[in-house]
Amino acid sequence: MKKIKNALISVFYKDGLESLIKKLHDLDIRIYSTGGTYKFIQEMGVPVESVEALTGYPPILGGRVKTLHPKVFGGILARRNEPEDLDEMKEFVIPEIDLVIVNLYPFEETIQKTTDEQEIIEKIDIGGISLIRAAAKNYKDVLTVSSPEDYFALLDLLNEKKGSSIIEDRKAFAAKAFHVSSHYDTAIFNYFNRDIGLPIFKQSLAGSKTLRYGENPHQKGFFFGDLERVFTQLHGKEISYNNLLDIDAAIYLIHDFEESVFAILKHNNACGLACRDKLTDAYRDALAGDPISAFGGVLITNQKLDENTAEEINKLFFEIILAPDYENSALELLKSKKNRIILRRNSHAFQDQLFRSALNGALVQDKDRRVEGGDDLKVVTTRKPEEREKDDLLFANKIVKHSKSNAIVLSKNKQLIASGVGQTSRVDALKQAIVKSNEFEHELNGAVMASDAFFPFADSVEIAAKAGVTAVIQPGGSVRDQESIDYCNEHGIAMVFTGTRHFKH
């Protein structure tokens, strides 16, 4: 047990600090402070000594140097069980600093709100990070608090142990401090590496959430990140690992659509999707695509959910719904099922890279943000697609981009008719889609087909044509492209190449 006699406080975030200052004062702990924190404590009427008075130096270089001084770091790093350290402390009149409360300049927040390099650089903390690391290194003697989130934990500790701490307390706070330090440095490195492009992978995700389990009940599951920046949960049970995978797939799918759209997903793939001016019509047509797979699915729209649509949706058993907003009456109606997860999507910029563990390391790639438009289509057949067909081709191409490979999508009038996903051959994916469309009695005459990759043979376009497909969109690039083109020309089918493959594994 070590008694806290002297504390150094220098913080950017002062919310919640007042009660902590009062407690330190009640415990007769001497407080040293700098800058705005010093002024904050003074205005509270609590005795405080400036770091400038301790060191004999004022802040210099526009405040860049305030605490970087032997009288500060000596007081933190001195080993209380080393006689030579204590002799030097006495010789140079250095007080023992037993508690360090420091948080850092908001570097991550700054790079999110500005591109002004000078402003960003000035938010790289030097003194604060040094104080945190020094105090955490000397955890045997010093307690360090490096985040505003821990103010109340420290207050509880001070109340419980009457101004003292044990080594287990200090080591636990030190671990948090080194996390804060490493996370901060990772953010700075990644900012600089945007332009430099060093082949180094560093990620640090601060928030964490323990999930009920992983993909299966015998697997542990965790989420690292800040879900509240992505959505607000308005109702329902705890979100699971598999739920989060579906939510992620749903948000990225819907992001590619500008017009009013409703989508239903199952196991990360769209099983229903339609674009309509009226949201209720979009939902009905999305559901009609595959009403069996929709059972227990994830629903998402890019429009405010109205009461009429909610009444239709409420007839279906589903796990999750996401929308940018809800009419009050619609929300109350959807809340009628206690476990139903209702989420309001928040505006949030997602990271530009995907990464996943593989073998003994990580695979990293840029996100597939490419969305083909009319200017990206190269007509390779004698017949050009009609305007309606062109719209459907672009519509289907967006869906196939977000479907597990090998993938084929059949659509008509901006409605997902059927898809074949996750197949080991493209022909099997197409056959699966045709079987499903026939099962739900969709009319394929005049439908279009989208493929996530090129057709190695003409067999797929032949099967599609016999089913009624009149236009095809694919990347192209096979050495045998001409065979598919020739078949299409012989049977009056329009085909366009995009030049872009959209594998998804």
Side-chain angles (χ1 to χ4, degrees):
M1 186 80 76
K2 282 190 175 289
K3 182 75 174 174
I4 300 170
K5 295 171 291 204
N6 298 308
L8 172 64
I9 307 176
S10 180
V11 300
F12 187 87
Y13 300 100
K14 298 174 181 64
D15 290 346
L17 187 63
E18 189 171 346
S19 56
L20 197 52
I21 298 296
K22 289 178 180 178
K23 187 62 184 179
L24 294 174
H25 177 57
D26 291 343
L27 292 167
D28 201 27
I29 294 171
R30 177 180 293 174
I31 300 173
Y32 295 94
S33 191
T34 64
T37 311
Y38 174 79
K39 184 178 179 182
F40 177 85
I41 298 171
Q42 260 195 333
E43 289 174 352
M44 286 179 59
V46 172
V48 57
E49 295 189 28
S50 68
V51 167
E52 295 94 314
L54 173 64
T55 64
Y57 280 88
I60 61 172
L61 308 181
R64 281 189 164 196
V65 180
K66 288 181 284 195
T67 56
L68 297 168
H69 192 281
K71 281 203 169 184
V72 175
F73 282 86
I76 295 170
L77 287 166
R79 294 159 292 189
R80 279 41 162 190
N81 62 343
E82 290 285 342
E84 290 182 2
D85 285 11
L86 297 178
D87 288 343
E88 288 183 347
M89 297 270 286
K90 186 175 181 181
E91 178 183 355
F92 296 109
V93 196
I94 300 174
E96 294 179 7
I97 297 175
D98 316 294
L99 171 63
V100 173
I101 304 174
V102 173
N103 49 66
L104 306 173
Y105 291 155
F107 179 82
E108 288 181 282
E109 291 88 337
T110 303
I111 61 175
Q112 287 171 5
K113 72 179 184 181
T114 184
T115 57
D116 185 328
E117 186 172 58
Q118 187 56 40
E119 184 178 350
I120 290 169
I121 295 303
E122 290 305 318
K123 287 298 186 290
I124 298 177
D125 208 311
I126 302 300
I129 202 83
S130 302
L131 291 168
I132 286 172
R133 290 178 62 83
K137 175 179 179 176
N138 202 26
Y139 71 88
K140 290 184 178 179
D141 297 303
V142 181
L143 180 64
T144 177
V145 176
S146 54
S147 169
E149 296 173 3
D150 290 325
Y151 287 171
F152 291 109
L154 175 60
L155 186 60
D156 289 342
L157 178 66
L158 294 172
N159 284 323
E160 179 186 344
K161 296 192 169 78
K162 297 179 173 56
S164 297
S165 67
I166 59 176
I167 193 165
E168 288 81 7
D169 299 326
R170 297 190 295 275
K171 193 169 185 178
F173 276 97
K176 291 183 178 181
F178 281 121
H179 161 65
V180 167
S181 171
S182 64
H183 179 82
Y184 196 75
D185 285 341
T186 297
I188 295 169
F189 167 78
N190 285 331
Y191 168 75
F192 277 88
N193 206 38
R194 289 177 182 177
D195 299 325
I196 308 303
L198 295 173
I200 297 170
F201 175 68
K202 287 183 183 292
Q203 285 291 328
S204 178
L205 302 170
S208 66
K209 177 180 176 63
T210 301
L211 305 173
R212 283 176 290 165
Y213 49 80
E215 204 160 5
N216 300 292
H218 62 277
Q219 296 169 272
K220 291 182 179 179
F222 306 89
F223 176 82
F224 296 96
D226 186 0
L227 289 175
E228 291 182 0
R229 293 177 64 182
V230 183
F231 57 73
T232 301
Q233 184 165 356
L234 305 177
H235 182 74
K237 64 183 179 180
E238 184 181 355
I239 297 173
S240 72
Y241 182 100
N242 291 329
N243 289 155
L244 289 173
L245 289 176
D246 283 329
I247 291 167
D248 180 75
I251 289 175
Y252 280 111
L253 168 65
I254 213 80
H255 185 266
D256 284 350
F257 290 86
E258 295 180 357
E259 50 199 318
S260 176
V261 62
F262 203 106
I264 305 171
L265 289 87
K266 197 75 170 287
H267 296 293
N268 309 160
N269 293 294
C271 59
L273 192 150
C275 289
R276 298 288 183 266
D277 292 336
K278 192 175 178 182
L279 191 59
T280 305
D281 293 338
Y283 166 71
R284 286 179 180 143
D285 287 346
L287 178 63
D290 187 346
I292 293 178
S293 295
F295 184 85
V298 172
L299 282 54
I300 186 168
T301 180
N302 58 3
Q303 302 296 312
K304 183 176 183 178
L305 198 79
D306 59 89
E307 184 178 2
N308 289 337
T309 307
E311 286 177 352
E312 291 296 315
I313 290 171
N314 203 42
K315 300 171 186 177
L316 175 71
F317 169 75
F318 63 90
E319 286 243 349
I320 302 168
I321 184 164
L322 298 94
D325 205 355
Y326 301 82
E327 290 184 358
N328 290 335
S329 55
L331 185 59
E332 291 308 308
L333 182 61
L334 293 174
K335 285 181 176 179
S336 61
K337 301 290 191 294
K338 68 175 183 178
N339 288 329
R340 181 181 285 165
I341 297 170
I342 305 174
L343 306 176
R344 179 189 289 122
R345 285 183 57 203
N346 299 327
S347 177
H348 175 60
F350 293 92
Q351 53 199 358
D352 294 325
Q353 289 186 317
L354 288 171
F355 51 91
R356 63 194 293 183
S357 61
L359 302 175
N360 62 344
L363 286 169
V364 182
Q365 67 171 344
D366 294 336
K367 276 213 170 88
D368 185 357
R369 295 191 179 278
R370 186 171 176 80
V371 180
E372 284 73 36
D375 293 340
D376 299 306
L377 305 184
K378 178 184 177 182
V379 180
V380 294
T381 51
T382 304
R383 186 173 81 81
K384 296 181 180 179
E386 298 173 3
E387 201 59 34
R388 192 271 305 170
E389 289 175 320
K390 184 179 175 181
D391 289 343
D392 279 343
L393 289 170
L394 292 172
F395 170 87
N397 197 54
K398 291 176 182 178
I399 301 173
V400 84
K401 167 189 167 183
H402 292 276
S403 303
K404 297 288 186 180
S405 300
N406 288 310
I408 292 288
V409 163
L410 303 176
S411 73
K412 186 177 180 181
N413 298 325
K414 293 188 178 180
Q415 177 188 18
L416 172 59
I417 300 297
S419 62
V421 300
Q423 298 301 303
T424 52
S425 82
R426 202 153 300 282
V427 169
D428 286 344
L430 174 57
K431 288 179 178 178
Q432 181 190 60
I434 292 172
V435 167
K436 295 194 82 169
S437 65
N438 291 335
E439 182 181 350
F440 299 116
E441 299 180 348
H442 293 301
E443 177 57 66
L444 283 179
N445 287 320
V448 306
M449 174 174 70
S451 175
D452 62 337
F454 64 65
F455 296 112
F457 305 101
D459 49 3
S460 292
V461 291
E462 181 178 351
I463 294 168
K466 290 177 179 177
V469 168
T470 59
V472 177
I473 185 169
Q474 60 141 320
S478 168
V479 294
R480 304 178 74 163
D481 275 344
Q482 194 59 46
E483 295 179 16
S484 296
I485 295 170
D486 289 344
Y487 184 90
C488 288
N489 283 333
E490 291 167 7
H491 295 82
I493 296 171
M495 179 184 283
V496 297
F497 286 180
T498 64
T500 302
R501 188 182 73 185
H502 288 296
F503 270 166
K504 184 182 180 187
H505 295 101

